[in-house]
Amino acid sequence: MKLLKLPVAALAAMLVALPVSQAGANELTIGLASEPSSIDPHFHNLGPNNAVARVMFDRLIMPDDKQRLLPGLAVSWKAIDDLTWEFKLRQGVKFHDGSPFTADDVVFTFQRAPDVEGSPSSFGTYLKGKTITRIDDYTVHIKTERPYPLMPNDMSTFSIVSRKHGEGAKTQDYNSGKATVGTGAYKFVEYVPGDRIVLERNENYWGDKPEWTRVTLKAIKSGPSRVAALLAGDVDLIEQTPTADIERLKNDANLTLSQGISNRVIYLHLDHDRDSSPFVKAKDGGDIKNPLKDQRVRMAISHAINRDAIVSRVMEGIAIKAGQLLPEGFFGRSPNLKPVEYDPALAKRHLSEAGVGDGFKLTIHGPNDRYINDAKIAEAVAQMLTRAGIQTDVVTMPRSVYFKRASRGGPDGTPEFSFILVGWGSGTGEASSPLKSLIHTYDKSRGFGASNRGRYSNAEVDKLIEDALATVDDAKRQDLLARATEIAINDGAIIPLHYQVNTWAARKGIKYRARTDEATVATDVISE
Amino acid sequence: MSVFITRRILQSLVVVFVMSLLVFFGVNIVGDPVDMLINPEADQEDIEAAIRALGLDRPIHEQYWYFLVNALKGDLGKSFIFAEPALKLILQRMPATLELAFAAMFLAVVIGIPLGVFAGLRPHSKVSKTIMAGSILGFSLPTFWVGLMFIMIFAVMLGWLPSTGRGETTSLLGIQVSFLTLDGLSHLLLPALNLALFKMSLVIRLARAGTREVALQDYIKFARAKGLSPSRVVLVHVMKNILIPVVTVLGLELGGVIAFAVVTETVFAWPGMGKLLIDSIQLLDRPVVVAYLMITVLMFIVINLVVDILYSILDPRVRLKDVKS
């Protein structure tokens, strides 16, 4: 048994001698659900990357936790004529290395952001069709070919990098930290792919002084492990708290939960296009003329869904039922739309009026790893529709397979499914984003309806959306967007279910300003 | 022996080629990486540009040809997500996984063999029965559940060990390792134990079965009769003879542990290759998945070869020669 002694002794020694790793009062460790793929702020336009970039690099306009546009590196902006926007830049701002921030850095960012080698999803989306001119050190003009009201929104999406460090810099130079010099609240310290990102406070930050001296971001993908890491005190804050654990964590005196509604609406899209839709069948399994093209059937489906039950049972109370594309407080929302009432009798009546009183067969397709409880929501919807006479099957699949099929899995790149569960978060924080992508007629050449997987098409709505996108006056644009939303929703273009509510959990004494854009940002973590 | 090895290498080349076909086509018919990569706000033009940039607009056989030509030059493609060579990404994370795998194997052997031998020598004692019952649990409890329980007990309830992550690393011969610092060791212990549990149970059962068989052999009786001390009988005569099945199985299992420590790495947020693999599968980072599986194939081939050679060293009766099938 000699063999045994050594390791056992070593184990015992380790168990006794373990240091209790307690971070200092002003240090913060965050457990993230997904890891950024790079530190280069322009490499990949995706949530986790943008959340990390946001604290190291400022933007011209900085959306706050409710996606309201606040002055960032630009102190003011206005349209000086139909085609030109003027941005006044903040003076006296220094990069992390002490070099001054000027209009040159903005001009340089305009060149670099859309054109990063190997970028899987570039910021060109927000920069194309715009030309920037440097007027003086602290003024730039941005010109567009057509009137463009979303300029401030677009300018709030990307990081301004230093020309001095960014010129010729590749993504690797940002990952190594060589070029990672911004004006942001936190400075880059270390990046170990797969493990951690370490940041430290920028003592000379122009804005509110950041609260934490040192911030460590750790990617802990598995939900239960993230919760365990918080319970064990290894991290101070976690994002995407699994809904099943929320009740239990709520009752834990050592923890604080921070919840906030997101800009993401979970909705159903239906086939508005094909006369014979592949996943709609008659009761006996035979072919049937696509009933989803009838507005009454779409409304019947909406009335047959008990949104309160979905929110209280499936989402365990952590969601808010939806009646349109964006929750309260967002620009371009209609004040007149309410969530559709659950009314099975009315649903049945609508169905008989539409000539399908006997019901039909339908398959709902949805992802099972994309939205909170997505597969369960699809199952609940299917049960409710089946009760209303529309016999509904459920098929869910991983998002890696789902989105391709839902977008272009059919013949000639058409959407494959008939009835799908999807979600949409408005990146710009206002209604034109979902209207343009989900509701407007699919028009490849003009870039409309890219995610219109139901191929909804309504000339009146299209006109309103296009007018809105060319109206710089805020009040008029608000009206146009609200009207477009009302017509589309009342026509059953999509059927909104609920808005997602996100939950952050933290050790006692720390709160998170829950962001509507779902990002976890160190500057929004505050101590009580 | 050299004939044997040459022949094995030639066979291996064929295996590698067939695997590259299977893996490449298998991975490429699933989904579309563009949907995972692109920002939802992007319009059709952006989406098409992304498809072109990744080379996904080319026919699949053409993509395979590029892959094959580059692979022969040692380039297994560039990650869609990180825009870095897939091989580099995998090698970057390999030390963490190797460390975890070897730590797990070490635990499995140093705990498993003594327990197994003990259970084999005294098959009817209460302790042996407990060990065997424990090994059944080790086999049958799912790894992720045991991992979470470890975290709950040792990190959350007792607070002895950190719950996740790798901890402090130091450089050893240019490779980052964590077993040289206390902080690193404390991070390593739980995941290694978690990964070791299944192998440990395997080793216990193999060692017990081997011991029971060997203990009845004439040469053991003879050694006893000769008056050798019981510890010498067990440590030299029994141990040496039960090691062959153990080495065979562990050799094969080592490959599995290195290549597919996925569950443990995910539960413990261990920054190794397994975590990279599972992330790449979920985000359809095809070049990384393909490169990973190709490396795995190569690894298994090498390990099997090494096991065969080890065999001949442990058991002089085994000679590697060109056996006609």
Side-chain angles (χ1 to χ4, degrees), chain A residues 490-511:
Chain A
N490 288 331
D491 194 20
I494 64 160
I495 298 174
L497 295 178
H498 58 261
Y499 307 114
Q500 240 171 242
V501 169
N502 294 308
T503 307
W504 285 262
R507 69 168 160 82
K508 194 145 199 68
I510 292 184
K511 260 173 73 171

Side-chain angles (χ1 to χ4, degrees), chain A residues 1-18:
Chain A
M1 295 284 113
K2 250 189 223 153
L3 266 175
L4 249 177
K5 269 183 193 148
L6 195 108
V8 166
L11 278 182
M14 251 163 59
L15 289 179
V16 177
L18 271 173

Side-chain angles (χ1 to χ4, degrees), chain A residues 53-281:
Chain A
R54 186 190 293 263
V55 293
M56 293 188 285
F57 299 89
D58 291 319
R59 305 176 183 182
L60 283 180
I61 297 173
M62 309 232 277
D64 71 354
D65 52 319
K66 300 282 170 286
Q67 284 178 283
R68 287 173 300 219
L69 303 181
L70 302 184
L73 288 177
V75 282
S76 66
W77 52 90
K78 60 175 192 284
I80 51 175
D81 60 52
D82 267 0
L83 303 177
T84 314
W85 282 78
E86 181 177 86
F87 285 79
K88 289 279 181 198
L89 304 181
R90 194 176 289 277
Q91 307 199 3
V93 175
K94 298 245 185 296
F95 281 100
H96 294 156
D97 67 338
S99 58
F101 158 75
T102 67
D104 288 335
D105 300 306
V106 180
V107 175
F108 172 72
T109 298
F110 263 65
Q111 287 164 22
R112 182 176 195 275
D115 191 27
V116 176
E117 195 189 323
S119 164
S121 174
S122 92
F123 284 90
T125 313
Y126 307 114
L127 287 162
K128 61 186 171 195
K130 303 188 177 80
T131 31
I132 185 165
T133 329
R134 175 186 185 281
I135 302 301
D136 60 43
D137 265 1
Y138 296 101
T139 314
V140 291
H141 282 177
I142 302 170
K143 277 192 172 298
T144 51
E145 288 135 29
R146 283 186 301 272
Y148 192 70
L150 291 180
M151 184 66 79
N153 302 79
D154 282 3
M155 293 305 118
S156 73
T157 53
F158 56 88
S159 308
I160 302 295
V161 297
S162 153
R163 174 183 196 151
K164 186 176 147 200
H165 297 274
E167 220 150 33
K170 295 219 180 303
T171 295
Q172 291 88 309
D173 299 318
Y174 283 91
N175 288 343
S176 69
K178 203 176 117 203
T180 319
V181 177
T183 56
Y186 288 93
K187 297 186 205 177
F188 174 87
V189 176
E190 187 191 19
Y191 167 48
V192 184
D195 193 31
R196 64 183 180 274
I197 297 166
V198 184
L199 311 170
E200 87 190 349
R201 176 157 78 187
N202 174 6
E203 300 292 345
N204 303 314
Y205 189 51
W206 57 267
D208 294 337
K209 189 168 175 168
E211 186 162 355
W212 313 99
T213 49
R214 202 178 170 83
V215 175
T216 308
L217 307 167
K218 283 187 175 178
I220 307 175
K221 209 182 162 70
S222 142
S225 305
R226 215 158 47 241
V227 172
L230 175 70
L231 292 173
D234 292 335
V235 299
D236 302 311
L237 173 85
I238 57 167
E239 62 175 0
Q240 295 184 28
T241 314
T243 35
D245 291 326
I246 288 175
E247 211 38 55
R248 184 181 163 267
L249 299 180
K250 233 183 218 164
N251 298 325
D252 191 324
N254 300 318
L255 301 178
T256 322
L257 295 191
S258 308
Q259 288 186 324
I261 196 165
S262 86
N263 61 15
R264 191 178 299 283
V265 60
I266 304 296
Y267 66 93
L268 303 168
H269 225 146
L270 327 88
D271 189 350
H272 294 274
D273 183 38
R274 287 167 285 199
D275 283 327
S276 162
S277 198
F279 293 96
V280 186
K281 296 276 177 232

Side-chain angles (χ1 to χ4, degrees), chain A residues 471-492:
Chain A
T471 306
V472 178
D473 183 277
D474 278 352
K476 277 188 202 149
R477 191 166 79 257
Q478 156 75 38
D479 265 7
L480 291 166
L481 292 174
R483 281 224 320 276
T485 308
E486 280 164 29
I487 298 173
I489 295 295
N490 288 331
D491 194 20

Side-chain angles (χ1 to χ4, degrees), chain B residues 101 105 181:
Chain B
M105 279 304 183
T181 62

Side-chain angles (χ1 to χ4, degrees), chain B residues 36-98:
Chain B
M36 301 292 101
L37 296 168
I38 198 112
N39 189 292
E41 308 254 321
D43 61 24
Q44 291 94 327
E45 191 191 329
D46 296 333
I47 296 174
E48 286 196 348
I51 291 176
R52 272 196 306 277
L54 297 177
L56 295 171
D57 55 334
R58 323 294 313 167
I60 183 157
H61 54 86
E62 208 172 296
Q63 291 181 40
Y64 178 70
W65 180 247
Y66 281 127
F67 166 77
L68 205 60
V69 170
N70 288 326
L72 291 176
K73 295 186 216 145
D75 171 10
L76 290 175
K78 246 183 174 185
S79 158
F80 291 160
I81 290 170
F82 299 94
E84 287 190 40
L87 199 60
K88 183 183 151 200
L89 285 172
I90 295 168
L91 294 180
Q92 235 173 28
R93 286 163 170 80
M94 200 179 247
T97 297
L98 287 181

Side-chain angles (χ1 to χ4, degrees), chain B residues 122-158:
Chain B
R122 298 206 177 76
H124 301 297
S125 85
K126 283 243 159 57
V127 179
S128 303
K129 283 183 177 150
T130 315
I131 292 173
M132 295 322 287
S135 78
I136 291 177
L137 287 182
F139 265 127
S140 42
L141 292 177
T143 317
F144 75 92
W145 184 84
V146 175
L148 284 173
M149 286 305 117
F150 278 177
I151 296 179
M152 282 313 284
I153 295 169
F154 293 105
V156 177
M157 287 158 70
L158 298 173

Side-chain angles (χ1 to χ4, degrees), chain B residues 276-292:
Chain B
L276 177 71
L277 174 69
I278 200 79
D279 290 354
S280 304
I281 291 174
Q282 278 169 357
L283 296 172
L284 289 181
D285 197 350
R286 289 173 182 165
V288 177
V289 179
V290 171
Y292 191 96

